[in-house]
Coordinates of all heavy atoms in Angstrom, one line a residue:
P1 N 4.5 162.7 70.9 CA 4.8 162.9 72.4 C 4.2 161.8 73.4 O 4.8 161.9 74.4 CB 3.9 164.2 72.6 CG 2.9 164.2 71.5 CD 3.6 163.5 70.3
Y2 N 3.5 161.0 72.9 CA 3.0 159.8 73.7 C 3.7 158.5 73.5 O 3.3 157.5 74.0 CB 1.5 159.7 73.5 CG 0.7 161.0 73.7 CD1 0.3 161.6 72.8 CD2 0.6 161.4 75.0 CE1 -0.4 162.9 72.8 CE2 -0.1 162.6 75.2 CZ -0.6 163.4 74.2 OH -1.3 164.5 74.5
G3 N 4.7 158.4 72.6 CA 5.4 157.3 72.2 C 4.6 156.4 71.4 O 5.0 155.1 71.3
A4 N 3.6 156.7 70.8 CA 2.7 155.9 70.0 C 3.0 156.1 68.5 O 2.3 157.1 68.0 CB 1.2 156.2 70.3
L5 N 3.9 155.7 67.9 CA 4.2 155.9 66.6 C 4.2 154.8 65.7 O 4.1 153.6 66.0 CB 5.8 156.2 66.6 CG 6.2 157.4 67.4 CD1 7.7 157.5 67.5 CD2 5.6 158.8 67.1
D6 N 3.9 155.1 64.3 CA 3.8 154.0 63.3 C 2.8 152.9 63.7 O 3.1 151.7 63.7 CB 5.1 153.4 62.9 CG 5.1 152.7 61.7 OD1 4.2 153.0 60.9 OD2 6.0 151.9 61.5
M7 N 1.6 153.4 64.1 CA 0.6 152.3 64.6 C -0.2 151.7 63.3 O -1.1 150.9 63.6 CB -0.3 152.9 65.6 CG 0.5 153.3 66.8 SD -0.5 154.1 68.1 CE -1.7 152.9 68.5
A8 N 0.0 152.0 62.2 CA -0.8 151.6 61.1 C -0.5 150.0 60.9 O 0.6 149.6 61.1 CB -0.3 152.3 59.8
G9 N -1.6 149.2 60.9 CA -1.4 147.8 60.7 C -1.3 147.1 61.9 O -1.3 145.8 62.1
N10 N -1.4 147.8 63.2 CA -1.6 147.1 64.4 C -2.8 146.3 64.6 O -2.8 145.2 64.6 CB -1.4 148.2 65.4 CG -1.2 147.6 66.9 OD1 -0.9 146.5 67.0 ND2 -1.2 148.5 67.9
V11 N -3.9 147.1 64.7 CA -5.1 146.4 64.7 C -6.2 147.2 63.9 O -6.0 148.4 63.7 CB -5.8 146.2 66.1 CG1 -4.8 145.3 67.0 CG2 -5.9 147.6 66.9
W12 N -7.4 146.6 63.4 CA -8.4 147.4 63.0 C -8.9 148.3 64.1 O -9.1 147.9 65.3 CB -9.5 146.4 62.6 CG -9.3 145.7 61.4 CD1 -8.8 144.4 61.3 CD2 -9.4 146.1 60.1 NE1 -8.8 144.0 60.1 CE2 -9.2 145.0 59.2 CE3 -9.9 147.1 59.4 CZ2 -9.2 145.1 57.8 CZ3 -10.1 147.3 58.0 CH2 -9.7 146.2 57.3
D13 N -9.3 149.5 63.7 CA -9.8 150.4 64.8 C -11.4 150.4 64.7 O -11.9 150.7 63.6 CB -9.4 151.8 64.5 CG -7.9 152.0 64.9 OD1 -7.5 151.4 65.9 OD2 -7.3 152.9 64.3
W14 N -12.0 150.0 65.7 CA -13.5 150.0 65.7 C -13.9 151.4 66.0 O -13.5 151.9 67.1 CB -14.0 149.0 66.7 CG -15.4 148.7 66.7 CD1 -16.1 148.3 65.7 CD2 -16.2 148.8 67.9 NE1 -17.5 148.0 66.2 CE2 -17.4 148.4 67.5 CE3 -16.1 149.2 69.2 CZ2 -18.6 148.4 68.4 CZ3 -17.2 149.2 70.0 CH2 -18.5 148.8 69.7
V15 N -14.6 152.0 65.2 CA -15.1 153.5 65.4 C -16.6 153.5 65.7 O -17.3 152.6 65.5 CB -14.6 154.4 64.3 CG1 -13.3 154.5 64.0 CG2 -15.4 154.0 62.9
N16 N -17.1 154.7 66.1 CA -18.4 154.8 66.6 C -19.3 154.9 65.4 O -20.7 154.7 65.7 CB -18.6 156.0 67.4 CG -19.8 156.1 68.3 OD1 -20.2 155.1 68.7 ND2 -20.4 157.2 68.3
D17 N -19.0 155.1 64.2 CA -19.8 155.3 63.0 C -20.5 153.9 62.7 O -19.9 152.9 62.7 CB -19.1 155.8 61.8 CG -18.6 157.3 62.0 OD1 -19.0 157.8 63.0 OD2 -17.8 157.6 61.3
W18 N -21.7 154.0 62.4 CA -22.4 153.0 61.7 C -22.0 152.9 60.2 O -21.7 153.9 59.7 CB -24.0 153.1 61.8 CG -24.4 152.9 63.2 CD1 -24.9 153.9 64.0 CD2 -24.6 151.7 63.8 NE1 -25.3 153.4 65.1 CE2 -25.1 152.0 65.1 CE3 -24.3 150.3 63.7 CZ2 -25.3 151.1 66.1 CZ3 -24.6 149.5 64.6 CH2 -25.1 149.8 65.7
Y19 N -22.1 151.7 59.7 CA -21.6 151.5 58.4 C -22.8 151.5 57.3 O -23.8 151.1 57.6 CB -20.9 150.0 58.0 CG -20.4 149.9 56.8 CD1 -19.3 150.5 56.2 CD2 -21.2 149.2 55.7 CE1 -18.8 150.3 55.0 CE2 -20.7 149.0 54.4 CZ -19.5 149.6 54.0 OH -19.0 149.5 52.8
D20 N -22.5 152.4 56.2 CA -23.4 152.5 55.1 C -22.7 152.7 53.9 O -21.9 153.7 53.7 CB -24.5 153.8 55.3 CG -25.4 153.8 54.1 OD1 -25.3 153.3 53.1 OD2 -26.3 154.7 54.4
G21 N -22.6 151.9 53.0 CA -21.8 151.8 51.9 C -22.0 153.0 50.9 O -21.2 153.3 50.2
D22 N -23.2 153.5 51.0 CA -23.6 154.6 50.1 C -23.6 156.0 50.9 O -23.9 157.0 50.3 CB -24.9 154.5 49.5 CG -25.1 153.3 48.7 OD1 -24.1 153.0 48.0 OD2 -26.1 152.5 48.7
Y23 N -23.2 156.1 52.1 CA -23.3 157.2 52.9 C -22.6 158.4 52.3 O -23.2 159.5 52.4 CB -22.8 156.9 54.4 CG -22.8 158.2 55.3 CD1 -24.0 158.6 55.6 CD2 -21.6 158.8 55.6 CE1 -24.1 159.7 56.5 CE2 -21.7 159.9 56.5 CZ -23.0 160.4 56.8 OH -23.1 161.5 57.6
Y24 N -21.4 158.2 51.8 CA -20.7 159.4 51.4 C -21.2 160.0 50.1 O -21.0 161.2 49.7 CB -19.3 159.1 51.2 CG -18.5 159.0 52.5 CD1 -18.0 157.7 52.8 CD2 -18.4 159.9 53.4 CE1 -17.3 157.5 54.0 CE2 -17.8 159.7 54.6 CZ -17.2 158.6 54.9 OH -16.6 158.2 56.2
S25 N -22.2 159.3 49.4 CA -22.9 160.0 48.3 C -23.8 161.1 48.7 O -24.3 161.9 47.8 CB -23.5 158.8 47.4 OG -24.6 158.2 48.0
Y26 N -24.3 161.0 49.8 CA -25.3 162.0 50.3 C -25.1 162.6 51.6 O -25.7 163.4 52.1 CB -26.8 161.2 50.4 CG -26.8 160.2 51.6 CD1 -27.1 160.5 52.8 CD2 -26.7 158.8 51.2 CE1 -27.3 159.5 53.8 CE2 -26.8 157.8 52.2 CZ -27.1 158.3 53.4 OH -27.2 157.3 54.4
S27 N -23.9 162.4 52.1 CA -23.5 163.0 53.4 C -23.0 164.4 53.2 O -22.7 164.9 52.2 CB -22.4 162.2 54.1 OG -21.2 162.4 53.3
P28 N -23.0 165.2 54.3 CA -22.3 166.6 54.3 C -20.9 166.4 53.8 O -20.2 165.4 54.1 CB -22.4 167.1 55.7 CG -23.4 166.3 56.5 CD -23.3 164.9 55.7
Y29 N -20.4 167.4 53.0 CA -19.2 167.4 52.5 C -17.9 167.6 53.5 O -17.0 166.8 53.6 CB -18.9 168.5 51.5 CG -17.5 168.5 50.9 CD1 -17.3 167.6 50.0 CD2 -16.6 169.5 51.3 CE1 -15.9 167.7 49.4 CE2 -15.3 169.5 50.7 CZ -15.0 168.5 49.8 OH -13.7 168.5 49.3
E30 N -18.3 168.4 54.6 CA -17.3 168.6 55.5 C -17.8 167.9 57.0 O -18.9 168.0 57.4 CB -17.1 170.0 55.9 CG -16.3 170.7 54.7 CD -16.0 172.2 55.2 OE1 -15.9 172.5 56.3 OE2 -15.8 172.9 54.2
N31 N -16.9 167.1 57.5 CA -17.0 166.5 58.9 C -18.4 165.7 59.0 O -19.2 166.0 59.8 CB -17.1 167.6 59.9 CG -16.9 166.9 61.3 OD1 -16.4 165.7 61.4 ND2 -17.1 167.6 62.3
P32 N -18.5 164.8 58.0 CA -19.9 164.0 58.1 C -20.0 163.3 59.3 O -19.1 162.5 59.8 CB -19.8 163.0 56.9 CG -18.3 163.0 56.7 CD -17.7 164.2 57.0
P33 N -21.2 163.3 60.0 CA -21.2 162.6 61.3 C -21.6 161.1 61.2 O -21.4 160.5 62.3 CB -22.6 163.4 61.9 CG -23.3 163.6 60.7 CD -22.4 164.0 59.6
G34 N -21.8 160.6 60.2 CA -22.1 159.2 60.0 C -23.6 158.9 60.0 O -24.3 159.7 60.6
P35 N -24.0 157.8 59.6 CA -25.4 157.5 59.6 C -26.0 157.3 61.0 O -25.3 156.9 61.9 CB -25.5 156.1 58.9 CG -24.2 155.7 58.4 CD -23.2 156.7 59.0
P36 N -27.2 157.6 61.1 CA -27.8 157.6 62.6 C -27.9 156.1 63.1 O -28.1 155.9 64.4 CB -29.1 158.3 62.4 CG -29.4 158.1 61.0 CD -28.2 158.1 60.2
S37 N -28.0 155.1 62.3 CA -28.2 153.8 62.7 C -27.7 152.9 61.7 O -27.3 153.2 60.5 CB -29.6 153.5 63.0 OG -30.4 153.6 61.8
G38 N -27.6 151.5 62.1 CA -27.1 150.6 61.0 C -27.0 149.2 61.8 O -27.4 149.0 62.9
S39 N -26.4 148.2 61.0 CA -26.3 146.9 61.6 C -24.8 146.5 61.9 O -24.5 145.7 62.8 CB -26.7 145.8 60.6 OG -28.1 145.9 60.3
Y40 N -24.0 147.4 61.4 CA -22.4 147.1 61.6 C -21.7 148.4 61.8 O -22.2 149.4 61.4 CB -21.9 146.5 60.2 CG -22.4 145.3 59.8 CD1 -23.4 145.3 58.7 CD2 -22.1 144.1 60.4 CE1 -24.0 144.1 58.3 CE2 -22.7 142.9 59.9 CZ -23.6 142.9 59.0 OH -24.1 141.8 58.6
K41 N -20.8 148.4 62.6 CA -19.9 149.5 62.9 C -18.8 149.5 62.0 O -18.5 148.5 61.3 CB -19.3 149.4 64.4 CG -20.4 149.7 65.4 CD -20.8 151.1 65.5 CE -21.7 151.4 66.8 NZ -21.9 152.8 67.0
V42 N -18.1 150.7 61.8 CA -17.1 150.9 60.8 C -15.8 150.3 61.4 O -15.5 150.7 62.7 CB -16.9 152.2 60.4 CG1 -15.7 152.5 59.6 CG2 -18.2 152.7 59.6
L43 N -15.0 149.6 60.8 CA -13.6 149.3 61.1 C -12.8 150.1 60.3 O -12.9 150.2 59.0 CB -13.3 147.8 61.0 CG -14.1 146.9 61.9 CD1 -13.9 145.4 61.5 CD2 -14.0 147.2 63.3
R44 N -11.7 150.7 60.8 CA -10.7 151.4 59.9 C -9.4 151.0 60.1 O -8.9 150.5 61.2 CB -10.7 152.9 60.3 CG -12.0 153.7 60.0 CD -11.8 155.1 60.1 NE -12.9 155.8 59.6 CZ -13.1 156.1 58.4 NH1 -12.3 155.9 57.5 NH2 -14.2 156.8 58.0
G45 N -8.5 151.0 59.1 CA -7.0 150.9 59.2 C -6.5 149.6 58.9 O -5.4 149.5 58.4
G46 N -7.1 148.4 59.1 CA -6.4 147.2 58.8 C -5.6 146.6 59.9 O -4.9 147.3 60.5
G47 N -5.7 145.3 60.2 CA -5.1 144.7 61.3 C -3.8 143.9 60.8 O -3.6 143.9 59.6
Y48 N -3.0 143.5 61.7 CA -1.7 142.9 61.5 C -2.0 141.6 60.5 O -1.0 141.2 59.9 CB -1.1 142.5 62.8 CG -1.8 141.4 63.6 CD1 -1.5 140.1 63.4 CD2 -2.6 141.9 64.5 CE1 -2.1 139.2 64.2 CE2 -3.3 141.0 65.3 CZ -3.1 139.6 65.1 OH -3.8 138.6 65.8
N49 N -3.1 141.0 60.6 CA -3.3 139.8 60.0 C -4.0 140.0 58.5 O -4.6 138.9 58.1 CB -4.2 138.9 60.7 CG -5.5 139.4 61.2 OD1 -5.8 140.6 61.1 ND2 -6.3 138.6 61.7
F50 N -4.0 141.1 58.1 CA -4.6 141.5 56.6 C -3.4 141.9 55.7 O -2.4 142.2 56.3 CB -5.7 142.6 56.8 CG -7.0 142.1 57.0 CD1 -7.3 141.5 58.3 CD2 -8.0 142.0 56.1 CE1 -8.5 141.0 58.5 CE2 -9.2 141.6 56.3 CZ -9.6 141.0 57.5
I51 N -3.8 141.8 54.4 CA -2.8 142.3 53.5 C -2.6 143.9 53.5 O -3.3 144.5 53.9 CB -3.1 141.8 51.9 CG1 -4.4 142.5 51.5 CG2 -3.3 140.3 51.9 CD1 -4.8 142.3 50.1
W52 N -1.3 144.2 52.9 CA -0.9 145.5 53.1 C -2.0 146.6 52.4 O -1.9 147.7 52.9 CB 0.5 145.7 52.5 CG 0.6 145.4 51.0 CD1 0.7 144.2 50.4 CD2 0.3 146.3 50.0 NE1 0.7 144.3 48.9 CE2 0.4 145.7 48.7 CE3 0.2 147.7 49.9 CZ2 0.4 146.3 47.5 CZ3 -0.1 148.3 48.7 CH2 0.1 147.6 47.5
L53 N -2.7 146.1 51.5 CA -3.5 147.1 50.9 C -4.6 147.8 51.8 O -5.1 148.8 51.7 CB -4.4 146.5 49.7 CG -3.6 146.1 48.5 CD1 -4.3 145.3 47.6 CD2 -3.1 147.3 47.8
Y54 N -5.0 147.0 52.8 CA -5.9 147.4 54.0 C -5.2 148.3 55.0 O -6.0 148.7 55.8 CB -6.6 146.2 54.4 CG -7.4 145.5 53.4 CD1 -7.3 144.1 53.3 CD2 -8.2 146.2 52.4 CE1 -8.0 143.4 52.2 CE2 -8.8 145.4 51.3 CZ -8.8 144.1 51.3 OH -9.4 143.4 50.5
V55 N -4.0 148.3 55.1 CA -3.3 148.9 56.2 C -3.1 150.4 55.9 O -2.1 151.0 55.7 CB -2.0 148.3 56.5 CG1 -1.3 148.8 57.9 CG2 -2.2 146.7 56.8
R56 N -4.4 151.3 55.9 CA -4.3 152.6 55.7 C -5.4 153.2 56.6 O -6.4 152.6 56.8 CB -4.7 153.0 54.2 CG -3.7 152.5 53.2 CD -4.2 152.9 51.8 NE -5.4 153.8 51.7 CZ -6.5 153.4 51.2 NH1 -6.7 152.3 50.7 NH2 -7.6 154.2 51.1
T57 N -5.1 154.2 57.3 CA -6.2 154.8 58.2 C -7.5 155.2 57.4 O -8.5 155.3 57.9 CB -5.7 156.0 58.9 OG1 -5.2 157.0 58.1 CG2 -4.5 155.5 59.9
A58 N -7.3 155.5 56.2 CA -8.4 155.9 55.3 C -9.3 154.8 54.9 O -10.5 155.1 54.6 CB -8.0 156.8 54.1
F59 N -8.8 153.6 55.0 CA -9.6 152.5 54.5 C -10.7 152.0 55.6 O -10.3 152.0 56.8 CB -8.7 151.3 54.3 CG -9.4 150.0 53.8 CD1 -9.7 150.0 52.5 CD2 -9.8 148.9 54.8 CE1 -10.4 148.9 52.0 CE2 -10.5 147.9 54.2 CZ -10.8 147.8 52.9
H60 N -12.0 151.9 55.3 CA -13.0 151.6 56.2 C -13.8 150.4 55.7 O -13.8 150.1 54.5 CB -13.9 152.7 56.6 CG -14.8 153.2 55.4 ND1 -14.2 154.1 54.4 CD2 -16.0 153.0 55.1 CE1 -15.2 154.4 53.5 NE2 -16.3 153.6 53.9
Y61 N -14.2 149.7 56.6 CA -14.7 148.3 56.3 C -15.8 147.9 57.2 O -15.9 148.3 58.4 CB -13.5 147.5 56.4 CG -13.8 145.9 56.0 CD1 -14.2 145.5 54.8 CD2 -13.5 144.9 57.1 CE1 -14.3 144.2 54.5 CE2 -13.7 143.6 56.7 CZ -14.0 143.3 55.4 OH -14.2 141.9 55.1
A62 N -16.8 147.1 56.9 CA -17.8 146.6 57.7 C -18.0 145.1 57.2 O -18.0 144.8 56.1 CB -19.1 147.3 57.7
Y63 N -17.9 144.3 58.3 CA -18.3 142.8 58.1 C -18.9 142.3 59.3 O -19.1 142.9 60.3 CB -16.9 142.1 57.6 CG -15.9 141.8 58.8 CD1 -15.7 140.6 59.3 CD2 -15.4 142.9 59.5 CE1 -14.8 140.4 60.2 CE2 -14.6 142.7 60.6 CZ -14.2 141.5 61.0 OH -13.3 141.3 62.0
L64 N -19.3 141.0 59.2 CA -20.0 140.3 60.3 C -19.4 140.7 61.6 O -19.9 140.9 62.7 CB -20.2 139.0 60.0 CG -21.0 138.1 61.1 CD1 -22.3 138.7 61.2 CD2 -21.0 136.7 60.8
G65 N -18.1 140.7 61.6 CA -17.3 140.8 62.9 C -17.4 142.3 63.5 O -16.8 142.5 64.5
S66 N -18.0 143.2 62.8 CA -18.0 144.5 63.2 C -19.3 144.9 63.9 O -19.8 146.0 64.1 CB -17.7 145.6 62.1 OG -18.7 145.5 61.1
R67 N -20.0 143.9 64.3 CA -21.2 144.1 65.3 C -20.7 144.5 66.5 O -19.6 144.1 67.0 CB -22.0 142.9 65.3 CG -22.8 142.4 64.0 CD -23.7 141.3 64.3 NE -24.2 140.8 63.0 CZ -25.4 141.3 62.5 NH1 -26.0 142.2 63.1 NH2 -25.8 140.8 61.3
P68 N -21.4 145.4 67.3 CA -20.9 145.8 68.6 C -20.5 144.8 69.5 O -19.8 145.0 70.5 CB -22.1 146.8 69.1 CG -22.7 147.2 67.8 CD -22.6 146.1 66.8
T69 N -21.1 143.6 69.5 CA -20.8 142.5 70.4 C -19.5 141.7 70.1 O -19.1 140.7 70.8 CB -21.9 141.6 70.6 OG1 -22.3 141.1 69.3 CG2 -23.1 142.2 71.2
Y70 N -18.9 141.8 69.0 CA -17.9 141.1 68.3 C -16.5 141.3 69.1 O -16.2 142.4 69.6 CB -17.6 141.5 66.9 CG -16.5 140.7 66.3 CD1 -16.7 139.3 65.9 CD2 -15.3 141.3 65.9 CE1 -15.7 138.6 65.4 CE2 -14.3 140.6 65.3 CZ -14.5 139.2 65.0 OH -13.5 138.5 64.5
R71 N -15.7 140.3 69.4 CA -14.4 140.3 70.1 C -13.4 139.7 69.2 O -13.6 138.6 68.5 CB -14.5 139.5 71.4 CG -15.5 140.1 72.4 CD -15.1 141.3 73.1 NE -15.9 141.6 74.2 CZ -17.0 142.4 74.0 NH1 -17.3 143.0 73.0 NH2 -17.8 142.8 75.0
S72 N -12.2 140.3 69.1 CA -11.2 139.7 68.3 C -9.8 140.4 68.7 O -9.7 141.5 69.1 CB -11.3 140.0 66.8 OG -10.2 139.6 66.0
D73 N -8.7 139.6 68.6 CA -7.5 140.1 68.8 C -6.8 141.0 67.8 O -5.9 141.6 67.9 CB -6.4 139.0 69.1 CG -6.2 138.1 68.0 OD1 -6.7 138.2 67.1 OD2 -5.2 137.4 68.1
S74 N -7.6 141.2 66.6 CA -7.2 142.1 65.6 C -8.0 143.4 65.5 O -8.0 144.1 64.5 CB -7.0 141.4 64.2 OG -8.3 141.0 63.8
V75 N -9.1 143.5 66.4 CA -9.8 144.6 66.4 C -9.7 145.4 67.7 O -9.8 144.8 68.8 CB -11.3 144.3 66.2 CG1 -12.2 145.5 66.2 CG2 -11.5 143.5 64.9
G76 N -9.4 146.6 67.6 CA -9.3 147.4 68.9 C -10.0 148.8 68.7 O -10.8 148.9 67.8
F77 N -9.7 149.8 69.6 CA -10.2 151.1 69.5 C -9.3 152.0 70.0 O -8.3 151.7 70.6 CB -11.5 151.2 70.3 CG -11.3 151.0 71.8 CD1 -11.1 152.2 72.5 CD2 -11.4 149.8 72.3 CE1 -11.0 152.1 73.8 CE2 -11.2 149.7 73.7 CZ -10.9 150.8 74.5
R78 N -9.3 153.3 69.7 CA -8.6 154.5 70.1 C -9.4 155.4 70.8 O -10.5 155.7 70.2 CB -7.7 155.0 69.0 CG -6.8 154.1 68.4 CD -6.0 154.7 67.2 NE -5.4 153.7 66.5 CZ -4.2 153.7 65.7 NH1 -3.7 154.9 65.7 NH2 -3.9 152.8 64.9
C79 N -9.0 155.9 71.9 CA -9.7 156.9 72.6 C -9.5 158.3 71.9 O -8.5 158.7 71.4 CB -9.2 157.0 74.1 SG -9.6 155.5 75.0
A80 N -10.7 159.1 71.7 CA -10.5 160.2 70.9 C -11.7 161.2 71.6 O -12.6 160.8 72.2 CB -11.0 160.1 69.5
A81 N -11.4 162.5 71.2 CA -12.3 163.6 71.6 C -12.4 164.5 70.5 O -11.5 164.7 69.8 CB -11.9 164.2 73.0
S82 N -13.6 165.3 70.5 CA -13.7 166.3 69.5 C -12.9 167.5 69.9 O -12.6 167.7 71.1 CB -15.3 166.7 69.5 OG -15.9 165.7 69.0
P83 N -12.4 168.2 69.0 CA -11.5 169.3 69.3 C -12.2 170.3 70.3 O -13.4 170.6 70.2 CB -11.3 170.0 67.9 CG -11.6 169.2 67.0 CD -12.6 168.2 67.5
G84 N -11.5 170.8 71.3 CA -12.0 171.6 72.4 C -12.7 170.7 73.5 O -13.0 171.4 74.5
E85 N -12.7 169.6 73.6 CA -13.3 168.7 74.6 C -12.2 168.3 75.5 O -11.1 168.0 75.1 CB -14.0 167.5 74.2 CG -15.3 168.0 73.4 CD -16.3 166.8 73.2 OE1 -15.9 165.7 73.4 OE2 -17.1 167.0 72.4

């Protein structure tokens, strides 16, 4: 309805969650809120300049460029709200 179709592979989505490689081994099963702190934010989805294996919304990644002060033409964000907000 918004004309935003097939956006996979456009840019990495920078999300609000902090990255912890072991988080899902101890997180709640449903709707995990993410770790309370960390050094890197999570990037999801894969940008146009990465190989096709990373262009999935379920793929998450953290690297030096995912610090909150990082800027890149292949990293973006999407506005979102919790259901009911």
